[in-house]
Amino acid sequence: MSKQLTKAEEQLMQVLWQLKEASVKEVIEELPIPKPAYNTVSTIIRILETKEFVGHKAKGRGYVYFPLIEKAAYSNQSLHKLMNGYFEGSFKSMVSFFVKENKMDINELETILKEVNKKK
């Protein structure tokens, strides 16, 4: 999976990841005001299907859409692209940058390390 999403596509994927499956109408209901037009959302979902991020199944007279790519997999790919593009592939440099820029204190870092160690 090396395809990137546009901002609009990613916004719709966030809704589909949250809902697990939804019709175009249900996706629109979850979007912030001002709501995009039905045809706009429908077109973006069809683009997501072409990119193989979304699948569909028939339901009544319409379709229900669902993610084909897990959010974690896309997040991981996006972070690697960021790391490679801006931090010369160095995870340490990327983390150091975010720590400095966000003025994290030692307690926050220790909490993060504990969470990482739990998952090992």
Side-chain angles (χ1 to χ4, degrees):
M1 169 192 48
S2 61
K3 299 172 188 160
Q4 285 298 119
L5 298 175
T6 66
K7 186 176 179 180
E9 291 167 349
E10 191 168 322
Q11 186 179 31
L12 296 188
M13 284 303 300
Q14 292 290 349
V15 172
L16 286 172
W17 283 321
Q18 176 191 338
L19 297 178
K20 308 288 189 247
E21 65 177 39
S23 66
V24 171
K25 183 180 179 224
E26 291 167 330
V27 170
I28 293 169
E29 288 171 3
E30 296 297 317
L31 296 172
I33 295 172
K35 308 264 186 206
Y38 184 95
N39 287 343
T40 301
V41 173
S42 181
T43 298
I44 294 170
I45 288 177
R46 281 197 304 275
I47 291 168
L48 288 167
E49 282 190 288
T50 302
K51 289 183 172 184
E52 299 178 348
F53 276 82
V54 170
H56 74 271
K57 59 186 176 185
K59 185 175 182 184
R61 293 175 38 153
Y63 295 104
V64 172
Y65 300 92
F66 52 90
L68 295 174
I69 304 293
E70 290 183 19
K71 184 176 183 178
Y74 182 73
S75 298
N76 189 39
Q77 182 229 339
S78 296
L79 282 174
H80 274 86
K81 184 174 181 179
L82 177 72
M83 183 174 65
N84 292 331
Y86 293 95
F87 302 101
E88 298 163 6
S90 169
F91 183 74
K92 181 181 173 188
S93 294
M94 184 174 75
V95 171
S96 295
F97 172 81
F98 284 107
V99 168
K100 289 174 190 171
E101 289 299 310
N102 293 294
K103 297 174 180 64
M104 293 179 75
D105 66 26
I106 194 72
N107 293 331
E108 289 175 299
L109 288 173
E110 286 175 355
T111 301
I112 291 169
L113 284 173
K114 286 177 187 173
E115 288 296 317
V116 169
N117 285 329
K118 279 185 198 174
K119 302 207 185 224
K120 282 187 176 181

